[in-house]
Structures are given as structure tokens and as C-alpha cells.
């Protein structure tokens, strides 16, 4: 169970969980948000292009995002598995991921849905204080999640595992690991 996607609204704790789980499962944590932020801070052409989308809470165009993910998944550390955090975020990206995996005869082992009530999510984001964590942008990212990303939960119904994302980081990771093991 090592090719795993974490899904949940912004603020659900995907990044925190992916960090914790990547150690326990010995697979890399691949966050498209982190990759974009690194490009922005390094001032690469991709970063220049992505910045305005990050600043407004919109999705970076699929062509840019999919190519970045394709390159990242081709790196040797991702050969035996990965935890994807923040990708796929819409139907097209899900299709591209499926095709990329199919090229090597792989498929996703699980999609973990972190369930967190909206008021918890918003208060977590407001206390996090990242550059794109202003109230307007938070609201926009939530809208984008519900309109573009949440429909993927249906698309992935056969590999979907719902996990209660409220509580201590360690408790939530333990729930995710239990759920993954129960699926094996
Ligand atoms: P995150 O760190 O996952 O909250 O992502 C921060 C921002 O990066 C998002 O609001 C988008 O602008 C951009 N982003 C991250 N992942 C994706 C993706 N899969 N597709 C398009 N844009 C993305």
C-alpha cells in the first residue's frame, strides 16, 4: 500500500499527515503546493507562472501542474511508492495520474480522505499564517476544493478510505495506518 493520495479540504492536515506517514511508510511525501512554493521562492520560470494562482487560491493550469508531477514521479525515490498531497485536484489531473501509473503497470493503492469539519479547517488555516492564508484566499481555496476536487471522491470510490482527521497528529496517523493495513 505505498501509492497513496491524500485528499481533503485545505487545512485538513494533509501536509502534516503526509510528513508523518512518509517516515513510517518509507516513501516520499510529494506535495504539489510545496513544489510550487519552492519554484516561486527560487524564481524559476515555472514559479513566475504559478505565483498569481497561488496568491489568488486558484488552481495552477493543468498543463503546468501535470508536467511538474510527471517529472517528480519519474525521480528514483518515487519508484517504489509515494504519498501525494495536493494532487490530483481535478478530474483531468486524476486522469493524467492514472495514465502515468498505468505506463508502469501501477495503480493507486489507496486514496485517503481526511475528514475535518469546516470550522476546524478554517481556524487551522487562520492560525497557520502562510502567505496565501488570508481570509479571501482561504475562502476561494475552499470553494475550489468543493467544486473541483471533492468530485474525485466518487471517482476514487473503490480505493477510497475515509479517516477522521480531527485530533492529535499522532492519533490521526495511527488511524490512517490502521486503515491502510486493514485494506491489505
Ligand atoms: P496547497 O499547498 O496544497 O494548499 O496548495 C497551495 C496552492 O498551490 C493552491 O492554492 C494552488 O494554487 C496550487 N496548487 C497546489 N496543488 C495544485 C494542483 N494539483 N493543481 C493546481 N494547483 C495546485
Amino acid at each position: 500500500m505505498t501509492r497513496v493520495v491524500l485528499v481533503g479540504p485545505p487545512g485538513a492536515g494533509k501536509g502534516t499527515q503526509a510528513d508523518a506517514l512518509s517516515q513510517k511508510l518509507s516513501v516520499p511525501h510529494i506535495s504539489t503546493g510545496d513544489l510550487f512554493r519552492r519554484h516561486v521562492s527560487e524564481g524559476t520560470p515555472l514559479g513566475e507562472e504559478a505565483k498569481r494562482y497561488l496568491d489568488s487560491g486558484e488552481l495552477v493550469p493543468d498543463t503546468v501542474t501535470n508536467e511538474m508531477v510527471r517529472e517528480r514521479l519519474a525521480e528514483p525515490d518515487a519508484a517504489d511508492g509515494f504519498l501525494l498531497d495536493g494532487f490530483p485536484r481535478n478530474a483531468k489531473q486524476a486522469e493524467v495520474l492514472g495514465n502515468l501509473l498505468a505506463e508502469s503497470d501501477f495503480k493507486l493503492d489507496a486514496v485517503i480522505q481526511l475528514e475535518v469539519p469546516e470550522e476546524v479547517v478554517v481556524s487551522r488555516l487562520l492560525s497557520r499564517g502562510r502567505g496565501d492564508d488570508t481570509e479571501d484566499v482561504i475562502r476561494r481555496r475552499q470553494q475550489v476544493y468543493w467544486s473541483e476536487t471533492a468530485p474525485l471522491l466518487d471517482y476514487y470510490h473503490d480505493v477510497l478510505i475515509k479517516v477522521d482527521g480531527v485530533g492529535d497528529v499522532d492519533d490521526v496517523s495511527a488511524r490512517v495506518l490502521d486503515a491502510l493495513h486493514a485494506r491489505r
Side-chain angles (χ1 to χ4, degrees), residues 60-74:
V60 177
D62 287 341
T63 45
V64 177
T65 306
N66 291 333
E67 179 58 17
M68 181 178 78
V69 170
R70 194 186 63 73
E71 285 177 11
R72 180 63 188 88
L73 289 180

Side-chain angles (χ1 to χ4, degrees), residues 33-154:
D34 286 348
L35 291 172
F36 283 130
R37 282 184 288 276
R38 188 170 326 140
H39 277 283
V40 170
S41 72
E42 289 173 1
T44 69
L46 194 156
E48 306 263 295
E49 186 167 358
K51 184 173 187 315
R52 67 191 165 103
Y53 298 98
L54 271 77
D55 286 347
S56 61
E58 302 297 332
L59 296 186
V60 177
D62 287 341
T63 45
V64 177
T65 306
N66 291 333
E67 179 58 17
M68 181 178 78
V69 170
R70 194 186 63 73
E71 285 177 11
R72 180 63 188 88
L73 289 180
E75 285 176 31
D77 66 331
D80 294 327
F82 50 76
L83 273 164
L84 270 175
D85 153 21
F87 184 93
R89 252 178 161 94
N90 64 24
K92 182 68 199 170
Q93 294 180 6
E95 183 191 327
V96 166
L97 177 61
N99 291 341
L100 274 176
L101 292 175
E103 282 171 17
S104 325
D105 262 340
F106 293 133
K107 58 182 182 48
L108 284 180
D109 296 306
V111 173
I112 307 283
Q113 177 187 1
L114 283 180
E115 295 189 295
V116 178
E118 182 157 357
E119 62 274 15
V120 177
V121 159
V122 172
S123 78
R124 278 187 190 170
L125 290 174
L126 286 171
S127 65
R128 186 170 70 175
R130 209 168 71 191
D132 58 347
D133 285 337
T134 61
E135 214 167 322
D136 282 356
V137 179
I138 288 175
R139 198 169 301 122
R140 183 61 194 143
R141 295 210 310 271
Q142 299 289 331
Q143 282 170 352
V144 170
Y145 173 78
W146 290 108
S147 65
E148 303 267 327
T149 310
L152 295 181
L153 300 172
D154 255 357

Side-chain angles (χ1 to χ4, degrees), residues 6 12-25 29 83 85 112 114 116 124 163-177:
L6 285 163
K14 298 184 296 293
T16 307
Q17 283 307 319
D19 266 342
L21 293 163
S22 98
Q23 303 228 339
K24 297 198 164 104
L25 298 169
H29 166 196
L83 273 164
D85 153 21
I112 307 283
L114 283 180
V116 178
R124 278 187 190 170
V163 174
D164 176 6
V166 180
D168 257 25
V169 174
D170 289 346
D171 291 343
V172 177
S173 323
R175 277 176 219 147
V176 174
L177 288 172

